[in-house]
Amino acid sequence: MASRGAAFWAAAVFVALLAVLAVIVLMLSDRDSTADRPLPPAPSGSTGPVSASAAAPPSMPSMPSMPSMPSMASTPSTTGPGECPATPKAASQALPAQPPDDVAWTVFHGVAEPASREHGPHRKEADVNRCYSRTPTGALIASWQIATRFVLADDWRRVVKLQVMPGPGRDAYAAQRGRVRTDTGRAVGGYGQLAAFAIASYTPEVATVQLVSRFAATGQLQVNTVTVVWSGDDWRLQLQPDGSISPSLQAVTSLAGFVPWGGV
């Protein structure tokens, strides 16, 4: 397990979480770095796991400017200090067949993140973006946001503590992540960007989301399958027992079967 984790993190030093993201999001030294870096999704039946070298494309020369959402980050809650606002009963529980229409994008350590006035995050506290709606769309946005930040955030330990479900997976991830320098991954660049999604399954308690990452330098597409669990008053990331974010990290050749969506 130790060698496996070390291999995952080193290969892309975040370059390969979730894919998801300035990673999307990379995970273990060799193996995790390749998966988390690009960060999210990978549906079963894809073309197979991506090699470490393929998952770590050269740094992206530039990121287009994106509109910020100052009011989004500071949206107040009427439920009390630290609590998340309740999801309106009228909120749609339908699986999204197209991208949310009220989303703005911001860049976090080189990775574009979506935010919605309706679905969250409704609270921003330093590196922690939280309080998502208890809906399929809320789970979708939470899966990309958390999968990105628990790898790339300066204060990743706080993100892990507040937004990752406790258990063997969280303990394994924290131990492995603690041995990786964040600035190393940022220096090489080349993080995957969200390109598409598919919600594999959803209940108000557990959602499984497939996130597709695209690497600008190569055009390569990678998919991770991310699970979020409703715990307390918000969605939280559920890791695999070995600390990885996804049971599989695979390459796909097209976005067929996914809903195209991205901020870059």
Side-chain angles (χ1 to χ4, degrees), residues 248-260:
S248 62
L249 172 64
Q250 298 173 300
V252 292
T253 57
S254 77
L255 299 181
F258 297 95
V259 178

Side-chain angles (χ1 to χ4, degrees), residues 186-212:
R186 293 173 190 169
V188 299
Y191 293 133
Q193 301 291 338
L194 181 61
F197 71 89
I199 297 182
S201 64
Y202 175 82
T203 70
E205 287 71 43
V206 181
T208 301
V209 183
Q210 295 175 327
L211 301 171
V212 183

Side-chain angles (χ1 to χ4, degrees), residues 185-253:
R186 293 173 190 169
V188 299
Y191 293 133
Q193 301 291 338
L194 181 61
F197 71 89
I199 297 182
S201 64
Y202 175 82
T203 70
E205 287 71 43
V206 181
T208 301
V209 183
Q210 295 175 327
L211 301 171
V212 183
S213 299
R214 175 185 284 114
F215 293 94
T218 63
Q220 180 183 16
L221 299 172
Q222 288 184 154
V223 135
N224 276 313
T225 300
V226 181
T227 298
V228 289
V229 176
W230 187 263
S231 176
D233 59 359
D234 206 1
W235 293 108
R236 288 172 172 76
L237 187 64
Q238 178 70 68
L239 297 179
Q240 300 297 303
D242 65 356
S244 61
I245 192 172
S246 174
S248 62
L249 172 64
Q250 298 173 300
V252 292
T253 57

Side-chain angles (χ1 to χ4, degrees), residues 17-114:
L17 165 220
L18 233 357
V20 173
L21 315 184
V23 311
I24 251 148
V25 203
L26 4 111
M27 204 165 281
L28 318 175
S29 185
D30 257 323
R31 187 195 80 171
D32 278 8
S33 146
T34 40
D36 289 18
R37 184 154 176 152
L39 178 65
S44 59
S46 296
T47 58
V50 178
S51 65
S53 60
S59 59
M60 299 173 66
S62 64
M63 290 287 293
S65 59
M66 298 180 189
S68 60
M69 296 185 68
S71 61
M72 171 66 61
S74 59
T75 301
S77 166
T78 58
T79 57
E83 297 179 3
C84 294
T87 300
K89 293 182 178 180
S92 174
Q93 295 295 316
L95 300 186
Q98 58 187 20
D101 58 9
D102 70 337
V103 166
W105 296 80
T106 57
V107 177
F108 181 76
H109 291 315
V111 175
E113 295 182 331

Side-chain angles (χ1 to χ4, degrees), residues 93-208:
Q93 295 295 316
L95 300 186
Q98 58 187 20
D101 58 9
D102 70 337
V103 166
W105 296 80
T106 57
V107 177
F108 181 76
H109 291 315
V111 175
E113 295 182 331
S116 161
R117 293 185 181 281
E118 179 181 359
H119 299 288
H122 296 300
R123 287 185 177 276
K124 181 177 181 180
E125 301 161 355
D127 281 336
V128 176
N129 276 4
R130 65 186 187 88
C131 295
Y132 301 90
S133 68
R134 195 173 187 178
T135 65
T137 301
L140 166 64
I141 296 174
S143 66
W144 182 261
Q145 284 259 359
I146 301 172
T148 302
R149 289 172 175 264
F150 93 124
V151 173
L152 297 180
D154 294 322
D155 193 0
W156 62 267
R157 288 181 177 82
R158 185 164 183 267
V159 178
V160 169
K161 179 180 179 180
L162 297 179
Q163 298 189 288
V164 176
M165 292 296 290
R170 187 173 78 172
D171 295 343
Y173 174 81
Q176 296 159 4
R177 177 65 180 79
R179 297 194 292 269
V180 177
R181 288 180 53 188
T182 57
D183 58 341
T184 300
R186 293 173 190 169
V188 299
Y191 293 133
Q193 301 291 338
L194 181 61
F197 71 89
I199 297 182
S201 64
Y202 175 82
T203 70
E205 287 71 43
V206 181
T208 301

